[in-house]
Amino acid sequence: MKQSLLKIIIALVALAGAQMPLHAQGRATVSGYITDEKTGETLISAGVVGSPIKSGMTESQSRTGAVTNPYGFYTLTLSKGRHELTASYMGYSDQSITINLQRDTTINFILSPDLQLNSATVVATKDAGILSTKMSAIEVPVTVIQQTPTLFGEADVLKTIQLMPGVQAGTEGFSGIYVRGGGPEENLLLLDGISLYNAEHLMGIFSIFQPEAVKKVTLYKGSFPARYGGRISSIIDIRTNDGNMKEYHGTVSVGAISDKFHLEGPIIKDKLAFSVSGRGMHTIFFTPILRAHDINANYYFYDLNGKISWRISNKDRIYFNAYNGRDIFYYKDKDSGTVSYYENEGETATGHYTYQNSNDIDIRWGNTLAAMRWNHVFNNRLFSNATVAYTRYKMQIGVDIEQITVDQGLKDRDLFSILYYSGMRDYTAKLDFDYTPSPQHLVKFGAEYVNHTFIPETLGGHMYESEASQVSIDTTFKASANAILRGHEISVYAEDDISVGDRLTLNPGLHAAFFYTLGTPYWSLEPRMSLKYNLTEDISAKAAYSRMAQYVHLLSPAKITLPVDLWVPITDKIKPVTSDQVSIGAYYSGVPGWEFSLEGYYKWMHNILEYSDGTSFFGNSANWQKNVEMGEGLARGVELFIEKKDGPTTGWLGYTLAWSDRVFPDGTINGGEPFPYRYDRRHNISLVVNHQFNRKLAVSGTWTFASGGTMTVPERQTQVVYPDGSVGTQDYSPSRNNYRLPPSHRLNLSLNYTKKKRHGQSVWSLGVYNAYNNMNPNFVISDYNGWYDDNMVSPSGKPTWRRRQTLTKITILPIMPSLSYTYKF
């Protein structure tokens, strides 16, 4: 299998690398990199336009364009002769040169930043945005992420994405991502092309991505490029800074809840650069102080990002990047004293014993990632990227309970310890190619192999020592109903952006995947197709179809991210989750600086998991396959997106009308009847406004409204007789997710004041989360209250016992101000 795939890749590379008869056709290719003048950073999705010059005049009607790939490389094939080449990128001044093109040529562009955010003029197929062939693909600028007001003033990648149409938060104020009727585990989170499994801190209040280290963020939620696979709802592709090749720069920030830094610069100027950033919750520094005051509990998190970029030559570049992040919670409790004992009550104590009790709890979870990439330019039309990577998500809970008693000088010691841990480990190797045979085609193809290891495990031990009875017991046990599971995933893909005339562009693609686990093979063919038709220069229509497959599941006991959430793979009994999504949209860009889009989608989901009626999971995955059922899902909706991209005032308005349902035809859940998904919200509105008054002062605001989600609420209690003969009460719900929570809405505001310093600049940021203090429900608890009703007397003359169900709304995120200070140098 692997040898056959390797032969296919080698054949494709040989075909693509072969010199096509472009010269005979009177054509030649220009290629190179586009970089930032001040930092040397490559610019992703920058545009290059070539216009032929005849009789001293530039023919704008014959323009041909290209955009840079995720590594800043472009390739553009033109007719031989004189051309004007113009490179452009939003927020940068255009650069134009005139060339006499007679053979394949390498030209690198260096662009200068411009304070005015001008639009880039591109005549080419972009990978996201309104000009892209693909629909439902959005580029989220880092400047927007840094300006968007959020909880505690912490700029957050995922919370900014939540403000896009078709995306919502699971629980008010948390950073979970739920896209077009899907769950949080159905989103593929990529850091420089490598997947991560847990991207949140503090139970989901913050994401792990530090904006200072991020260069570009792209969200795909509809027509998925064939190069992506493994999830069914969305792709979030996050690219980090390569490092400043020219000079040293950095930032230091002190915020309401965390401190962070970022530093980048050249190791060898224009050749070798580094970028490093870190963030930590304040309490990471408080542990010694807390312990000095007998406070033996603490929680903190940290993130560390690092990257080294080496420009070996114009044809070869190597990148090494690493990430490590952890959440750490510990609690220590000690108790001691003396207990007297008596032979007879009321007499003088005949003796006493002393005791010492201690309870230690330590919980740690987080990600580790390391990757190396090699970019190679075979020729002006063929570009490759080879990647090897290691990722690991690990969670562990340690509990130590010790009791020591001393009676008449003899000591008894009872120690119970348990270590519970779980996680995932991936080894990845992938090879990607960009091939541009002509201006009408941009071909991408490649292959990937991932070795998965899933680790559900529980270890424990018990030791008892008694000097009085001269007994010593030391027992270690290993309790786990699940063995370590391994999976092998192999995938190949190919896609082509095709221009047919001036109005029609297509992006057909195919992603083929093979997954092997527990002696069971699974094959998946996933066709993709996107189509864009330009009705006029300013109006276009798009349509798309995508089939996706997913080979991992997330077992979670709550609507927020918890350390006990478990990732588990498909097995010989649990099939892959698949989805089929069709979408259609209309787009308008006739108003300068504005973009308008209206999209509709229909998504079918197969083999999705839900817990069986009456079962749950909390902290132990034992026999999890017996507690879940496979069923079907259906999501559909309409999304409106209005965005202002230029000028001192920018922002957007997003509205989503959506439905998401689940059904289990075999009757195992809800009697086989359809029921709403727990994150089914009918209406979602997000309004974002950013205004730059001048170079010093800027304000931002966001307002969101979301219909309530659903939950299962018991409507009455019934008496039941258990197998042992005992009698008890049990809640009864007529259907799953039968109660809809109240809607939530919130206004966030922020003000940024920038002051130029001698060696840099300082930024004061003042923010208010939930400015009008709306008490949005973060959680709702169902309970029963009982009382004796004197107005209702039983036949025996006693008051009747009555019960009333109550729903208690809990709000943990009221109005919260924040203040932070950042120094940039």
Side-chain angles (χ1 to χ4, degrees), residues 185 482 552-558 562-569 609-611 616-625 627-628 678:
E185 75 279 10
N482 301 310
V552 294
H553 303 282
L554 180 66
L555 301 181
S556 177
L562 295 175
V564 293
D565 293 351
L566 275 182
W567 287 94
V568 293
L609 295 188
E610 286 273 353
Y611 289 111
S616 183
F617 154 78
F618 195 92
N620 189 352
S621 65
N623 301 313
W624 67 272
Q625 297 181 71
N627 295 329
V628 297
R678 60 177 174 173

PDB file of all heavy atoms in Angstrom, residues 185 482 552-558 562-569 609-611 616-625 627-628 678:
ATOM      1  N   GLU A 185     -15.372  18.694  18.551  1.00  0.00           N
ATOM      2  CA  GLU A 185     -14.367  17.744  18.078  1.00  0.00           C
ATOM      3  C   GLU A 185     -14.355  17.620  16.564  1.00  0.00           C
ATOM      4  O   GLU A 185     -13.475  16.950  15.996  1.00  0.00           O
ATOM      5  CB  GLU A 185     -14.622  16.360  18.696  1.00  0.00           C
ATOM      6  CG  GLU A 185     -15.780  15.581  18.107  1.00  0.00           C
ATOM      7  CD  GLU A 185     -17.146  15.988  18.630  1.00  0.00           C
ATOM      8  OE1 GLU A 185     -17.231  17.022  19.340  1.00  0.00           O
ATOM      9  OE2 GLU A 185     -18.127  15.290  18.332  1.00  0.00           O
ATOM     10  N   ASN A 482      -9.790  -0.433  28.895  1.00  0.00           N
ATOM     11  CA  ASN A 482      -9.403  -0.160  27.524  1.00  0.00           C
ATOM     12  C   ASN A 482      -7.891  -0.297  27.382  1.00  0.00           C
ATOM     13  O   ASN A 482      -7.135   0.262  28.164  1.00  0.00           O
ATOM     14  CB  ASN A 482      -9.808   1.258  27.114  1.00  0.00           C
ATOM     15  CG  ASN A 482     -11.297   1.464  27.230  1.00  0.00           C
ATOM     16  OD1 ASN A 482     -12.068   0.666  26.727  1.00  0.00           O
ATOM     17  ND2 ASN A 482     -11.695   2.530  27.905  1.00  0.00           N
ATOM     18  N   VAL A 552     -11.721  10.190  14.644  1.00  0.00           N
ATOM     19  CA  VAL A 552     -11.585  10.304  16.096  1.00  0.00           C
ATOM     20  C   VAL A 552     -12.869  10.899  16.672  1.00  0.00           C
ATOM     21  O   VAL A 552     -13.622  11.593  15.976  1.00  0.00           O
ATOM     22  CB  VAL A 552     -10.376  11.172  16.497  1.00  0.00           C
ATOM     23  CG1 VAL A 552      -9.077  10.499  16.100  1.00  0.00           C
ATOM     24  CG2 VAL A 552     -10.478  12.562  15.883  1.00  0.00           C
ATOM     25  N   HIS A 553     -13.106  10.613  17.958  1.00  0.00           N
ATOM     26  CA  HIS A 553     -14.272  11.134  18.661  1.00  0.00           C
ATOM     27  C   HIS A 553     -13.818  11.743  19.984  1.00  0.00           C
ATOM     28  O   HIS A 553     -12.764  11.400  20.525  1.00  0.00           O
ATOM     29  CB  HIS A 553     -15.282  10.023  18.957  1.00  0.00           C
ATOM     30  CG  HIS A 553     -15.754   9.289  17.742  1.00  0.00           C
ATOM     31  ND1 HIS A 553     -16.692   9.802  16.883  1.00  0.00           N
ATOM     32  CD2 HIS A 553     -15.405   8.073  17.238  1.00  0.00           C
ATOM     33  CE1 HIS A 553     -16.906   8.941  15.910  1.00  0.00           C
ATOM     34  NE2 HIS A 553     -16.148   7.888  16.096  1.00  0.00           N
ATOM     35  N   LEU A 554     -14.628  12.640  20.495  1.00  0.00           N
ATOM     36  CA  LEU A 554     -14.358  13.256  21.792  1.00  0.00           C
ATOM     37  C   LEU A 554     -15.469  12.883  22.756  1.00  0.00           C
ATOM     38  O   LEU A 554     -16.647  13.143  22.495  1.00  0.00           O
ATOM     39  CB  LEU A 554     -14.281  14.781  21.651  1.00  0.00           C
ATOM     40  CG  LEU A 554     -13.993  15.554  22.937  1.00  0.00           C
ATOM     41  CD1 LEU A 554     -12.586  15.246  23.450  1.00  0.00           C
ATOM     42  CD2 LEU A 554     -14.142  17.057  22.702  1.00  0.00           C
ATOM     43  N   LEU A 555     -15.099  12.260  23.878  1.00  0.00           N
ATOM     44  CA  LEU A 555     -16.058  11.946  24.938  1.00  0.00           C
ATOM     45  C   LEU A 555     -15.974  13.040  25.982  1.00  0.00           C
ATOM     46  O   LEU A 555     -14.947  13.226  26.633  1.00  0.00           O
ATOM     47  CB  LEU A 555     -15.733  10.594  25.575  1.00  0.00           C
ATOM     48  CG  LEU A 555     -15.738   9.379  24.638  1.00  0.00           C
ATOM     49  CD1 LEU A 555     -15.416   8.126  25.419  1.00  0.00           C
ATOM     50  CD2 LEU A 555     -17.072   9.236  23.932  1.00  0.00           C
ATOM     51  N   SER A 556     -17.058  13.785  26.158  1.00  0.00           N
ATOM     52  CA  SER A 556     -17.055  14.917  27.076  1.00  0.00           C
ATOM     53  C   SER A 556     -18.311  14.878  27.934  1.00  0.00           C
ATOM     54  O   SER A 556     -19.411  14.694  27.419  1.00  0.00           O
ATOM     55  CB  SER A 556     -17.005  16.238  26.299  1.00  0.00           C
ATOM     56  OG  SER A 556     -17.082  17.338  27.173  1.00  0.00           O
ATOM     57  N   PRO A 557     -18.169  15.078  29.251  1.00  0.00           N
ATOM     58  CA  PRO A 557     -19.338  15.035  30.131  1.00  0.00           C
ATOM     59  C   PRO A 557     -20.069  16.356  30.246  1.00  0.00           C
ATOM     60  O   PRO A 557     -21.108  16.430  30.885  1.00  0.00           O
ATOM     61  CB  PRO A 557     -18.718  14.667  31.481  1.00  0.00           C
ATOM     62  CG  PRO A 557     -17.366  15.299  31.431  1.00  0.00           C
ATOM     63  CD  PRO A 557     -16.913  15.205  29.999  1.00  0.00           C
ATOM     64  N   ALA A 558     -19.550  17.434  29.645  1.00  0.00           N
ATOM     65  CA  ALA A 558     -20.147  18.749  29.866  1.00  0.00           C
ATOM     66  C   ALA A 558     -20.078  19.575  28.592  1.00  0.00           C
ATOM     67  O   ALA A 558     -19.480  19.184  27.595  1.00  0.00           O
ATOM     68  CB  ALA A 558     -19.419  19.469  31.003  1.00  0.00           C
ATOM     69  N   LEU A 562     -13.179  20.272  29.643  1.00  0.00           N
ATOM     70  CA  LEU A 562     -12.694  19.792  30.928  1.00  0.00           C
ATOM     71  C   LEU A 562     -11.461  18.921  30.716  1.00  0.00           C
ATOM     72  O   LEU A 562     -11.307  18.301  29.655  1.00  0.00           O
ATOM     73  CB  LEU A 562     -13.778  18.982  31.646  1.00  0.00           C
ATOM     74  CG  LEU A 562     -15.040  19.741  32.071  1.00  0.00           C
ATOM     75  CD1 LEU A 562     -16.060  18.780  32.650  1.00  0.00           C
ATOM     76  CD2 LEU A 562     -14.701  20.826  33.085  1.00  0.00           C
ATOM     77  N   PRO A 563     -10.584  18.849  31.718  1.00  0.00           N
ATOM     78  CA  PRO A 563      -9.402  18.003  31.553  1.00  0.00           C
ATOM     79  C   PRO A 563      -9.719  16.525  31.405  1.00  0.00           C
ATOM     80  O   PRO A 563      -8.901  15.770  30.909  1.00  0.00           O
ATOM     81  CB  PRO A 563      -8.587  18.283  32.834  1.00  0.00           C
ATOM     82  CG  PRO A 563      -9.560  18.854  33.801  1.00  0.00           C
ATOM     83  CD  PRO A 563     -10.560  19.597  32.984  1.00  0.00           C
ATOM     84  N   VAL A 564     -10.896  16.104  31.840  1.00  0.00           N
ATOM     85  CA  VAL A 564     -11.245  14.683  31.730  1.00  0.00           C
ATOM     86  C   VAL A 564     -11.862  14.341  30.377  1.00  0.00           C
ATOM     87  O   VAL A 564     -12.235  13.195  30.146  1.00  0.00           O
ATOM     88  CB  VAL A 564     -12.207  14.260  32.865  1.00  0.00           C
ATOM     89  CG1 VAL A 564     -11.506  14.331  34.203  1.00  0.00           C
ATOM     90  CG2 VAL A 564     -13.466  15.123  32.865  1.00  0.00           C
ATOM     91  N   ASP A 565     -11.978  15.321  29.476  1.00  0.00           N
ATOM     92  CA  ASP A 565     -12.439  15.002  28.120  1.00  0.00           C
ATOM     93  C   ASP A 565     -11.471  14.013  27.479  1.00  0.00           C
ATOM     94  O   ASP A 565     -10.253  14.164  27.589  1.00  0.00           O
ATOM     95  CB  ASP A 565     -12.510  16.265  27.264  1.00  0.00           C
ATOM     96  CG  ASP A 565     -13.589  17.224  27.734  1.00  0.00           C
ATOM     97  OD1 ASP A 565     -14.387  16.832  28.602  1.00  0.00           O
ATOM     98  OD2 ASP A 565     -13.635  18.352  27.235  1.00  0.00           O
ATOM     99  N   LEU A 566     -12.030  13.009  26.812  1.00  0.00           N
ATOM    100  CA  LEU A 566     -11.193  11.952  26.239  1.00  0.00           C
ATOM    101  C   LEU A 566     -11.354  11.866  24.732  1.00  0.00           C
ATOM    102  O   LEU A 566     -12.469  11.861  24.216  1.00  0.00           O
ATOM    103  CB  LEU A 566     -11.567  10.591  26.848  1.00  0.00           C
ATOM    104  CG  LEU A 566     -10.927  10.208  28.168  1.00  0.00           C
ATOM    105  CD1 LEU A 566     -11.374   8.823  28.561  1.00  0.00           C
ATOM    106  CD2 LEU A 566      -9.425  10.261  28.080  1.00  0.00           C
ATOM    107  N   TRP A 567     -10.222  11.791  24.044  1.00  0.00           N
ATOM    108  CA  TRP A 567     -10.222  11.502  22.620  1.00  0.00           C
ATOM    109  C   TRP A 567     -10.090  10.001  22.432  1.00  0.00           C
ATOM    110  O   TRP A 567      -9.235   9.360  23.029  1.00  0.00           O
ATOM    111  CB  TRP A 567      -9.057  12.209  21.930  1.00  0.00           C
ATOM    112  CG  TRP A 567      -9.241  13.684  21.796  1.00  0.00           C
ATOM    113  CD1 TRP A 567      -8.799  14.646  22.656  1.00  0.00           C
ATOM    114  CD2 TRP A 567      -9.911  14.369  20.741  1.00  0.00           C
ATOM    115  NE1 TRP A 567      -9.154  15.893  22.216  1.00  0.00           N
ATOM    116  CE2 TRP A 567      -9.840  15.750  21.026  1.00  0.00           C
ATOM    117  CE3 TRP A 567     -10.563  13.963  19.583  1.00  0.00           C
ATOM    118  CZ2 TRP A 567     -10.394  16.712  20.196  1.00  0.00           C
ATOM    119  CZ3 TRP A 567     -11.111  14.916  18.751  1.00  0.00           C
ATOM    120  CH2 TRP A 567     -11.032  16.277  19.056  1.00  0.00           C
ATOM    121  N   VAL A 568     -10.961   9.444  21.598  1.00  0.00           N
ATOM    122  CA  VAL A 568     -10.928   8.009  21.309  1.00  0.00           C
ATOM    123  C   VAL A 568     -11.041   7.820  19.803  1.00  0.00           C
ATOM    124  O   VAL A 568     -11.648   8.637  19.101  1.00  0.00           O
ATOM    125  CB  VAL A 568     -12.062   7.249  22.034  1.00  0.00           C
ATOM    126  CG1 VAL A 568     -11.854   7.279  23.536  1.00  0.00           C
ATOM    127  CG2 VAL A 568     -13.418   7.834  21.670  1.00  0.00           C
ATOM    128  N   PRO A 569     -10.473   6.749  19.266  1.00  0.00           N
ATOM    129  CA  PRO A 569     -10.513   6.542  17.822  1.00  0.00           C
ATOM    130  C   PRO A 569     -11.733   5.722  17.407  1.00  0.00           C
ATOM    131  O   PRO A 569     -12.476   5.198  18.235  1.00  0.00           O
ATOM    132  CB  PRO A 569      -9.236   5.745  17.572  1.00  0.00           C
ATOM    133  CG  PRO A 569      -9.116   4.893  18.809  1.00  0.00           C
ATOM    134  CD  PRO A 569      -9.648   5.743  19.955  1.00  0.00           C
ATOM    135  N   LEU A 609     -22.049  10.209  17.077  1.00  0.00           N
ATOM    136  CA  LEU A 609     -22.200   9.534  18.368  1.00  0.00           C
ATOM    137  C   LEU A 609     -23.005  10.376  19.347  1.00  0.00           C
ATOM    138  O   LEU A 609     -22.869  11.592  19.393  1.00  0.00           O
ATOM    139  CB  LEU A 609     -20.835   9.235  18.973  1.00  0.00           C
ATOM    140  CG  LEU A 609     -19.924   8.247  18.240  1.00  0.00           C
ATOM    141  CD1 LEU A 609     -18.711   7.935  19.088  1.00  0.00           C
ATOM    142  CD2 LEU A 609     -20.661   6.976  17.877  1.00  0.00           C
ATOM    143  N   GLU A 610     -23.820   9.708  20.125  1.00  0.00           N
ATOM    144  CA  GLU A 610     -24.507  10.304  21.279  1.00  0.00           C
ATOM    145  C   GLU A 610     -24.520   9.256  22.380  1.00  0.00           C
ATOM    146  O   GLU A 610     -24.519   8.050  22.118  1.00  0.00           O
ATOM    147  CB  GLU A 610     -25.945  10.695  20.940  1.00  0.00           C
ATOM    148  CG  GLU A 610     -26.084  11.932  20.074  1.00  0.00           C
ATOM    149  CD  GLU A 610     -26.109  13.213  20.885  1.00  0.00           C
ATOM    150  OE1 GLU A 610     -26.152  13.122  22.137  1.00  0.00           O
ATOM    151  OE2 GLU A 610     -26.083  14.297  20.281  1.00  0.00           O
ATOM    152  N   TYR A 611     -24.541   9.709  23.628  1.00  0.00           N
ATOM    153  CA  TYR A 611     -24.647   8.770  24.736  1.00  0.00           C
ATOM    154  C   TYR A 611     -26.028   8.130  24.746  1.00  0.00           C
ATOM    155  O   TYR A 611     -27.042   8.777  24.461  1.00  0.00           O
ATOM    156  CB  TYR A 611     -24.409   9.476  26.067  1.00  0.00           C
ATOM    157  CG  TYR A 611     -22.976   9.875  26.266  1.00  0.00           C
ATOM    158  CD1 TYR A 611     -22.594  11.204  26.269  1.00  0.00           C
ATOM    159  CD2 TYR A 611     -21.999   8.896  26.426  1.00  0.00           C
ATOM    160  CE1 TYR A 611     -21.276  11.572  26.436  1.00  0.00           C
ATOM    161  CE2 TYR A 611     -20.682   9.249  26.588  1.00  0.00           C
ATOM    162  CZ  TYR A 611     -20.320  10.589  26.597  1.00  0.00           C
ATOM    163  OH  TYR A 611     -19.011  10.933  26.758  1.00  0.00           O
ATOM    164  N   SER A 616     -23.863   8.103  30.860  1.00  0.00           N
ATOM    165  CA  SER A 616     -23.026   9.291  30.787  1.00  0.00           C
ATOM    166  C   SER A 616     -21.585   8.856  30.928  1.00  0.00           C
ATOM    167  O   SER A 616     -21.282   7.678  31.074  1.00  0.00           O
ATOM    168  CB  SER A 616     -23.410  10.301  31.871  1.00  0.00           C
ATOM    169  OG  SER A 616     -22.628  11.476  31.750  1.00  0.00           O
ATOM    170  N   PHE A 617     -20.719   9.832  30.885  1.00  0.00           N
ATOM    171  CA  PHE A 617     -19.294   9.548  31.012  1.00  0.00           C
ATOM    172  C   PHE A 617     -18.684  10.646  31.850  1.00  0.00           C
ATOM    173  O   PHE A 617     -18.917  11.824  31.618  1.00  0.00           O
ATOM    174  CB  PHE A 617     -18.635   9.519  29.627  1.00  0.00           C
ATOM    175  CG  PHE A 617     -17.160   9.857  29.668  1.00  0.00           C
ATOM    176  CD1 PHE A 617     -16.255   8.916  30.080  1.00  0.00           C
ATOM    177  CD2 PHE A 617     -16.718  11.113  29.315  1.00  0.00           C
ATOM    178  CE1 PHE A 617     -14.914   9.232  30.139  1.00  0.00           C
ATOM    179  CE2 PHE A 617     -15.385  11.433  29.375  1.00  0.00           C
ATOM    180  CZ  PHE A 617     -14.478  10.489  29.783  1.00  0.00           C
ATOM    181  N   PHE A 618     -17.896  10.269  32.820  1.00  0.00           N
ATOM    182  CA  PHE A 618     -17.180  11.287  33.582  1.00  0.00           C
ATOM    183  C   PHE A 618     -15.899  10.682  34.116  1.00  0.00           C
ATOM    184  O   PHE A 618     -15.901   9.904  35.071  1.00  0.00           O
ATOM    185  CB  PHE A 618     -18.026  11.817  34.741  1.00  0.00           C
ATOM    186  CG  PHE A 618     -17.472  13.094  35.312  1.00  0.00           C
ATOM    187  CD1 PHE A 618     -17.909  14.307  34.828  1.00  0.00           C
ATOM    188  CD2 PHE A 618     -16.512  13.068  36.297  1.00  0.00           C
ATOM    189  CE1 PHE A 618     -17.395  15.490  35.342  1.00  0.00           C
ATOM    190  CE2 PHE A 618     -15.997  14.237  36.803  1.00  0.00           C
ATOM    191  CZ  PHE A 618     -16.433  15.465  36.333  1.00  0.00           C
ATOM    192  N   GLY A 619     -14.791  11.029  33.451  1.00  0.00           N
ATOM    193  CA  GLY A 619     -13.477  10.662  33.959  1.00  0.00           C
ATOM    194  C   GLY A 619     -13.059   9.239  33.738  1.00  0.00           C
ATOM    195  O   GLY A 619     -11.985   8.848  34.168  1.00  0.00           O
ATOM    196  N   ASN A 620     -13.847   8.415  33.095  1.00  0.00           N
ATOM    197  CA  ASN A 620     -13.443   7.035  32.863  1.00  0.00           C
ATOM    198  C   ASN A 620     -14.063   6.564  31.557  1.00  0.00           C
ATOM    199  O   ASN A 620     -15.276   6.574  31.398  1.00  0.00           O
ATOM    200  CB  ASN A 620     -13.895   6.139  34.019  1.00  0.00           C
ATOM    201  CG  ASN A 620     -13.300   4.742  33.895  1.00  0.00           C
ATOM    202  OD1 ASN A 620     -12.680   4.394  32.889  1.00  0.00           O
ATOM    203  ND2 ASN A 620     -13.490   3.949  34.929  1.00  0.00           N
ATOM    204  N   SER A 621     -13.215   6.146  30.639  1.00  0.00           N
ATOM    205  CA  SER A 621     -13.702   5.732  29.326  1.00  0.00           C
ATOM    206  C   SER A 621     -13.993   4.244  29.275  1.00  0.00           C
ATOM    207  O   SER A 621     -14.192   3.691  28.204  1.00  0.00           O
ATOM    208  CB  SER A 621     -12.650   6.087  28.269  1.00  0.00           C
ATOM    209  OG  SER A 621     -11.465   5.340  28.493  1.00  0.00           O
ATOM    210  N   ALA A 622     -13.986   3.592  30.403  1.00  0.00           N
ATOM    211  CA  ALA A 622     -14.177   2.145  30.412  1.00  0.00           C
ATOM    212  C   ALA A 622     -15.459   1.758  29.686  1.00  0.00           C
ATOM    213  O   ALA A 622     -16.531   2.298  29.950  1.00  0.00           O
ATOM    214  CB  ALA A 622     -14.205   1.630  31.848  1.00  0.00           C
ATOM    215  N   ASN A 623     -15.307   0.827  28.756  1.00  0.00           N
ATOM    216  CA  ASN A 623     -16.446   0.303  27.995  1.00  0.00           C
ATOM    217  C   ASN A 623     -17.257   1.402  27.309  1.00  0.00           C
ATOM    218  O   ASN A 623     -18.481   1.328  27.210  1.00  0.00           O
ATOM    219  CB  ASN A 623     -17.363  -0.504  28.926  1.00  0.00           C
ATOM    220  CG  ASN A 623     -16.635  -1.672  29.577  1.00  0.00           C
ATOM    221  OD1 ASN A 623     -15.927  -2.426  28.913  1.00  0.00           O
ATOM    222  ND2 ASN A 623     -16.785  -1.787  30.888  1.00  0.00           N
ATOM    223  N   TRP A 624     -16.564   2.436  26.840  1.00  0.00           N
ATOM    224  CA  TRP A 624     -17.275   3.559  26.258  1.00  0.00           C
ATOM    225  C   TRP A 624     -18.072   3.154  25.020  1.00  0.00           C
ATOM    226  O   TRP A 624     -19.113   3.754  24.733  1.00  0.00           O
ATOM    227  CB  TRP A 624     -16.302   4.683  25.913  1.00  0.00           C
ATOM    228  CG  TRP A 624     -15.334   4.360  24.804  1.00  0.00           C
ATOM    229  CD1 TRP A 624     -14.118   3.762  24.912  1.00  0.00           C
ATOM    230  CD2 TRP A 624     -15.518   4.612  23.400  1.00  0.00           C
ATOM    231  NE1 TRP A 624     -13.521   3.633  23.692  1.00  0.00           N
ATOM    232  CE2 TRP A 624     -14.358   4.150  22.735  1.00  0.00           C
ATOM    233  CE3 TRP A 624     -16.538   5.192  22.647  1.00  0.00           C
ATOM    234  CZ2 TRP A 624     -14.208   4.246  21.358  1.00  0.00           C
ATOM    235  CZ3 TRP A 624     -16.380   5.300  21.276  1.00  0.00           C
ATOM    236  CH2 TRP A 624     -15.223   4.827  20.638  1.00  0.00           C
ATOM    237  N   GLN A 625     -17.605   2.143  24.306  1.00  0.00           N
ATOM    238  CA  GLN A 625     -18.311   1.730  23.097  1.00  0.00           C
ATOM    239  C   GLN A 625     -19.716   1.209  23.402  1.00  0.00           C
ATOM    240  O   GLN A 625     -20.618   1.288  22.563  1.00  0.00           O
ATOM    241  CB  GLN A 625     -17.516   0.651  22.365  1.00  0.00           C
ATOM    242  CG  GLN A 625     -16.163   1.123  21.864  1.00  0.00           C
ATOM    243  CD  GLN A 625     -15.420   0.026  21.133  1.00  0.00           C
ATOM    244  OE1 GLN A 625     -15.785  -0.356  20.031  1.00  0.00           O
ATOM    245  NE2 GLN A 625     -14.377  -0.506  21.759  1.00  0.00           N
ATOM    246  N   ASN A 627     -21.644   2.451  25.671  1.00  0.00           N
ATOM    247  CA  ASN A 627     -22.483   3.534  26.179  1.00  0.00           C
ATOM    248  C   ASN A 627     -22.864   4.559  25.125  1.00  0.00           C
ATOM    249  O   ASN A 627     -23.481   5.579  25.447  1.00  0.00           O
ATOM    250  CB  ASN A 627     -21.764   4.245  27.335  1.00  0.00           C
ATOM    251  CG  ASN A 627     -21.568   3.341  28.528  1.00  0.00           C
ATOM    252  OD1 ASN A 627     -22.384   2.454  28.773  1.00  0.00           O
ATOM    253  ND2 ASN A 627     -20.488   3.544  29.258  1.00  0.00           N
ATOM    254  N   VAL A 628     -22.469   4.330  23.874  1.00  0.00           N
ATOM    255  CA  VAL A 628     -22.784   5.292  22.826  1.00  0.00           C
ATOM    256  C   VAL A 628     -23.562   4.610  21.702  1.00  0.00           C
ATOM    257  O   VAL A 628     -23.526   3.386  21.563  1.00  0.00           O
ATOM    258  CB  VAL A 628     -21.506   5.943  22.251  1.00  0.00           C
ATOM    259  CG1 VAL A 628     -20.777   6.741  23.313  1.00  0.00           C
ATOM    260  CG2 VAL A 628     -20.570   4.895  21.656  1.00  0.00           C
ATOM    261  N   ARG A 678     -27.947  19.717  20.975  1.00  0.00           N
ATOM    262  CA  ARG A 678     -27.875  20.567  22.167  1.00  0.00           C
ATOM    263  C   ARG A 678     -27.321  21.953  21.856  1.00  0.00           C
ATOM    264  O   ARG A 678     -27.509  22.891  22.633  1.00  0.00           O
ATOM    265  CB  ARG A 678     -27.019  19.902  23.253  1.00  0.00           C
ATOM    266  CG  ARG A 678     -25.576  19.620  22.877  1.00  0.00           C
ATOM    267  CD  ARG A 678     -24.850  19.038  24.075  1.00  0.00           C
ATOM    268  NE  ARG A 678     -23.497  18.609  23.762  1.00  0.00           N
ATOM    269  CZ  ARG A 678     -22.630  18.193  24.676  1.00  0.00           C
ATOM    270  NH1 ARG A 678     -22.982  18.164  25.950  1.00  0.00           N
ATOM    271  NH2 ARG A 678     -21.420  17.813  24.326  1.00  0.00           N
TER     272      ARG A 678
END
